Amino acid sequence: MVLGTLLVVGLSSVLASKTRVAIEWRPRPFDPPIQYAYVPADASCDPFPQADDEDAEPVMCAEWHLRSVFKEGEGRRDSGLNGGGGCGDDGTCWEDVDFFDAVSMTQVEDGRGRPLPLLVSPDGHHLAYFSKTRRRFVGWDLPDARLLDLSPKLDARALGDFRSLHVSPDGGYFAVAFGEPNSRVMLTETSSGRTTTIQGFCGVIGMSRQAMGVLGCSPVERDDPDEDIVTLIDKQGKVLGEWTGDYAADGLSPDGRVIVEIRSEDTSEKNVLVVHDARTGRVMERHPLRLLSEENTPYGYGWLDDHEYVVKAEAPEGAGSFGFYAVDVRTGKSHRIRDFPLNAPGVSFRSEISIGRPGGGG
């Protein structure tokens, strides 16, 4: 995702840079949009328990890589990170960067390992991740070379309470959510760096340009423990709407009007995209997901724009991927996103991948 001057580095310099980057790296202005972030298929991380040392720092693996696409000679491209890439005959260039500050897997309180996300905003100019050097969640405004603290410093126990990380479509806000016992959402405004803590919510299911969909936490036992309490709030925490359901909703559209979920129908075992009114939860549309003729399992990946939701079609039994598809939530029609590469050159992917706007955004 972050592309600087295209440079192929030797193994010795790469190994040396890992230590240097972890300690000294500070961002420089970077204009090209990040297309996606990924963890290579051959990455390995085993955060085993640390015996007899409760004060030891948790094991953290930083295996995220960034991919960016840009025009040759266009914009500021020196991110301050090492990477390699190339340019095509049409002047379109790409670069992969080893982002050693972004934690991909960490050890939590009981010694278990848990993955941590790296998010790319739809405009490709903002990232959110857990920083290995700062021991907290941070937001990176790439063009302005700013790092924003999104949370206080977190130890292994606090990381165990982490629930979700989000960035708004325009990169204007970041949100980090933590579960019980101290359930809260920490909302940071990019322009000011100011963080507001909103108590009583366990997770974020999506952010629009104006609002945020959150999952409520209740200290009392509900009649149906499988019910989710979905609340739509504005950026000041004012409740705009609230509803319940026996399913987990997914992404909030960039315009804040609808929330979607992918559901397998019990009767037909067919996958459908269910579109809800974001304020009331009312089902507005139910679209069968006919992405391609082959059997596939669809997974939601976020919004392309106000009306198109990105779905990844996985082959059965982990046999690979059929690619990404944009589904129009108004009509149910879909089309393959062919300018979003399924694999970076020479790299195969695990499930850990985060995308900006397919094709690079802007």
Side-chain angles (χ1 to χ4, degrees):
M1 314 289 226
V2 177
L3 303 107
T5 303
L6 300 182
L7 181 65
V8 178
V9 292
L11 179 61
S12 60
S13 61
V14 170
L15 293 176
S17 71
K18 288 189 178 184
T19 301
R20 184 170 63 253
V21 167
I23 298 173
E24 301 175 0
W25 177 75
R26 292 293 184 275
R28 301 172 187 169
F30 188 79
D31 293 329
I34 300 304
Q35 193 176 42
Y36 55 86
Y38 67 92
V39 175
D42 59 356
S44 62
C45 179
D46 296 307
F48 296 110
Q50 295 162 330
D52 304 324
D53 190 356
E54 295 182 357
D55 296 326
E57 291 285 351
V59 175
M60 293 187 178
C61 299
E63 300 167 314
W64 281 106
H65 292 241
L66 306 174
R67 160 61 69 93
S68 183
V69 175
F70 55 94
K71 288 295 184 180
E72 189 171 9
E74 186 177 78
R76 300 168 297 179
R77 301 188 305 277
D78 184 4
S79 64
L81 299 171
N82 289 303
C87 294
D89 295 337
D90 62 353
T92 299
C93 304
W94 64 271
E95 186 176 3
D96 278 349
V97 170
D98 305 327
F99 193 19
F100 297 119
D101 190 45
V103 175
S104 54
M105 180 77 73
T106 186
Q107 183 184 39
V108 291
E109 184 183 16
D110 59 2
R112 293 179 297 110
R114 68 169 299 178
L116 290 178
L118 186 154
L119 298 186
V120 183
S121 65
D123 66 4
H125 296 301
H126 300 82
L127 303 182
Y129 64 95
F130 189 81
S131 168
K132 186 173 184 179
T133 57
R134 295 165 179 78
R135 292 295 199 271
R136 67 187 72 212
F137 286 98
V138 300
W140 178 9
D141 182 328
L142 279 77
D144 290 341
R146 297 173 62 213
L147 285 178
L148 304 173
D149 290 342
L150 307 182
S151 75
K153 187 175 180 180
L154 302 174
D155 58 16
R157 174 178 295 181
L159 279 171
D161 296 334
F162 165 69
R163 292 295 177 268
S164 63
L165 178 66
H166 279 76
V167 57
S168 64
D170 56 3
Y173 287 86
F174 297 95
V176 187
F178 298 89
E180 297 174 339
N182 183 21
S183 58
R184 66 202 186 279
V185 174
M186 303 186 72
L187 183 67
T188 300
E189 184 180 33
T190 304
S191 60
S192 67
R194 182 174 61 250
T195 296
T196 301
T197 300
I198 305 171
Q199 300 287 345
F201 296 106
C202 290
V204 176
I205 60 175
M207 296 181 71
S208 72
R209 290 182 287 271
Q210 301 85 20
M212 178 167 55
V214 292
L215 293 176
C217 293
S218 174
V220 298
E221 185 174 346
R222 298 194 297 268
D223 293 336
D224 185 350
D226 293 327
E227 276 195 342
D228 287 320
I229 302 173
V230 179
T231 307
L232 188 70
I233 62 176
D234 64 16
K235 299 300 175 56
Q236 286 72 47
K238 178 183 177 181
V239 175
L240 304 176
E242 185 175 85
W243 45 282
T244 62
D246 58 352
Y247 42 80
D250 196 355
L252 176 67
S253 61
D255 60 11
R257 295 185 176 183
V258 301
I259 290 176
V260 298
E261 62 162 331
I262 295 175
R263 188 191 303 181
S264 178
E265 299 284 64
D266 294 334
T267 54
S268 64
E269 295 186 353
K270 298 294 184 180
N271 294 301
V272 296
L273 184 73
V274 182
V275 183
H276 301 266
D277 182 284
R279 291 183 180 239
T280 66
R282 178 177 62 88
V283 174
M284 302 171 62
E285 303 284 352
R286 305 170 71 92
H287 301 303
L289 286 175
R290 302 187 181 96
L291 304 180
L292 66 172
S293 58
E294 293 90 342
E295 182 182 354
N296 67 92
T297 302
Y299 295 95
Y301 262 79
W303 292 84
L304 188 63
D305 53 37
D306 286 348
H307 305 296
E308 289 189 305
Y309 187 66
V310 179
V311 177
K312 185 180 182 183
E314 290 283 355
E317 299 180 358
S321 173
F322 292 120
F324 293 88
Y325 295 79
V327 181
D328 191 314
V329 299
R330 299 165 299 183
T331 66
K333 293 182 178 180
S334 63
H335 62 89
R336 173 77 180 272
I337 306 175
R338 298 191 180 277
D339 60 348
F340 180 68
L342 199 58
N343 297 89
V347 177
S348 59
F349 293 94
R350 298 190 303 192
S351 60
E352 293 88 343
I353 183 170
S354 172
I355 63 173
R357 176 168 296 135

